[in-house]
Amino acid sequence: MLREPEFTIGIEEEYLLVDRVSRDLASEPPDSMMAECEDSLRGQVAPEFMRAQIEVGTRVYRRVRDAGADLMRLRGTVAEIARRHGLAPIAASTHPFARWEDQHQVHKERYDVLARDMQGAVRRLLICGMHVHVGIADNELRIDLMNQAAYFLPHLLTLSTSSPFWRAQNTGLKSYRLTVFDAMPRTGIPDRFDSYGEYQRMVSHLVGAGVIEDATKIWTDVRLSARFPTLEMRITDVCTRLNDAICIAALYQCVLSMLYRLRLNNQRWRIYPRILVHENRWRAQRYGIDGELIDLGKGSLVPFAELLDEILGLVEEDAQRLECLSEVQNARRILTRGTSADRQLARYKEVRDGGADHDDALRAVVDLLIDDTVDGVKLP
């Protein structure tokens, strides 16, 4: 008999470290800063591939609001320690003007192997994301829900966009991060698998061929975590505002709960061809909340706001049961206020219209990101 999933939740975020004077990335942050972070946040902080990056991860919780409180503590602690070193974290998936060529890799065995194998593709990986783990112990159920949840990934990405600039240029995309990450293998919307056994055979083929050491090097937009009994969502940009991150994590948790509830009633979400979901993924990257996605049931483009209303209606029962209704409904505030990408573009335009040059406007965007990253966060 299938055991009901716990739907526990944990959130991982990656930040960029910037110099408070130049607003450029801190390509060589002092080792003492990471040591202080590790001493204060034992087991919940780690270096990332680039020295200018840092990653935090919450503990495991049953309620998203508790994970959010932990994330608030993590952000606040990193921000305060960074401040003492003349730095600041920004929760944005790209830096407005930094150059990846000027950055330095963290030398750990795993990262050294990546650098050797991926070459130029990984050297450009000056990007940050948010990963959300939801606890689902049964492997067959994890596969089933992964297949169905792929439909909703572009919608989650749309709410999270925070990477409109790259190397001092407005890319015209709300999430440029994914165009960088997609240069890596084993990324994007995952294939459909009929069973956990089929998934294991795929992993075994890759490991047996010597392509990967284990399933941690499968980096699809949603994946079966190789470390935890969770279904890990990886498509989203990191959210600059803490409340946006909590909202998206709650929405993902509720979508999985809703799909499980359908299954109990002998129903399921239709699984669409991967290319159609990828088309919505692209539209989310390009247009964000102002755009339209394909309603794959109707076969027509629909404003994102309408699709979001439908999703919120679908998961309302689950949000009430998981005690996160207010967090989920915050998605409507994101539509009103704009995502980080929208706010960055608006700040750039505002400063340029005020007479500043291009470089000063980009530095003003960094100032916005510094402030928004700790907005509502209690510093220790």
Side-chain angles (χ1 to χ4, degrees), residues 38-280:
E38 290 173 339
D39 186 58
S40 297
L41 302 172
R42 298 181 182 276
Q44 290 188 265
V45 66
E48 252 298 327
F49 182 76
M50 297 291 189
R51 284 182 55 81
Q53 294 173 294
I54 189 169
E55 180 182 27
V56 299
T58 71
R59 297 187 177 95
V60 179
Y61 296 94
R62 291 190 176 276
R63 301 190 307 173
V64 74
R65 67 186 57 173
D66 297 325
D70 197 8
L71 194 59
M72 177 188 296
R73 179 181 63 87
L74 295 172
R75 280 198 186 199
T77 301
V78 171
E80 175 56 24
I81 293 172
R83 184 193 62 78
R84 296 200 292 264
H85 292 272
L87 307 178
I90 58 171
S93 282
T94 57
H95 185 279
F97 60 85
R99 289 163 44 91
W100 59 263
E101 297 96 328
D102 300 332
Q103 307 310 309
H104 305 293
Q105 174 205 327
V106 170
H107 287 291
K108 292 172 59 176
E109 182 179 1
R110 177 179 175 84
Y111 295 150
D112 289 343
V113 170
L114 277 177
R116 182 198 68 204
D117 291 349
M118 303 301 170
Q119 294 293 311
V122 78
R123 289 197 292 270
R124 295 174 61 242
L125 219 59
L126 192 62
I127 55 175
C128 294
M130 174 178 75
H131 305 160
V132 181
H133 290 261
V134 172
I136 300 169
D138 185 273
N139 287 324
E140 294 296 346
L141 180 60
R142 279 203 292 168
I143 284 291
D144 186 31
L145 295 187
M146 183 175 77
N147 289 336
Q148 297 180 67
Y151 176 92
F152 299 93
L153 296 177
H155 305 76
L156 299 173
L157 171 62
T158 300
L159 290 168
S160 74
T161 56
S162 69
S163 50
F165 294 102
W166 179 252
R167 290 166 52 95
Q169 294 186 17
N170 178 355
T171 65
L173 278 66
K174 296 295 181 67
S175 174
Y176 189 76
R177 161 185 155 264
L178 286 182
T179 69
V180 178
F181 195 64
D182 286 348
M184 301 282 284
R186 304 177 295 280
T187 58
I189 302 296
D191 289 323
R192 174 187 176 179
F193 297 95
D194 289 332
S195 66
Y196 179 66
E198 184 182 9
Y199 173 80
Q200 284 186 304
R201 287 191 291 275
M202 180 273 293
V203 174
S204 295
H205 278 304
L206 292 172
V207 172
V211 175
I212 61 174
E213 295 82 21
D214 54 49
T216 64
K217 290 191 175 177
I218 295 172
W219 300 302
T220 48
D221 294 338
V222 62
R223 70 176 181 180
L224 274 65
S225 172
R227 297 184 298 153
F228 310 112
T230 63
L231 193 55
E232 179 188 4
M233 185 275 293
R234 303 169 48 84
I235 194 172
T236 48
D237 279 6
V238 63
C239 296
T240 310
R241 285 178 172 260
L242 179 69
N243 284 342
D244 293 0
I246 297 168
C247 167
I248 292 168
L251 189 55
Y252 174 60
Q253 182 189 35
C254 288
V255 163
L256 294 181
S257 174
M258 178 269 293
L259 294 174
Y260 176 72
R261 178 165 51 82
L262 289 179
R263 175 182 169 126
L264 293 180
N265 293 320
N266 293 317
Q267 299 173 304
R268 60 185 296 105
W269 201 261
R270 180 178 173 185
I271 297 175
Y272 293 90
R274 190 167 175 262
I275 193 170
L276 295 180
V277 181
H278 256 290
E279 185 65 29
N280 272 345

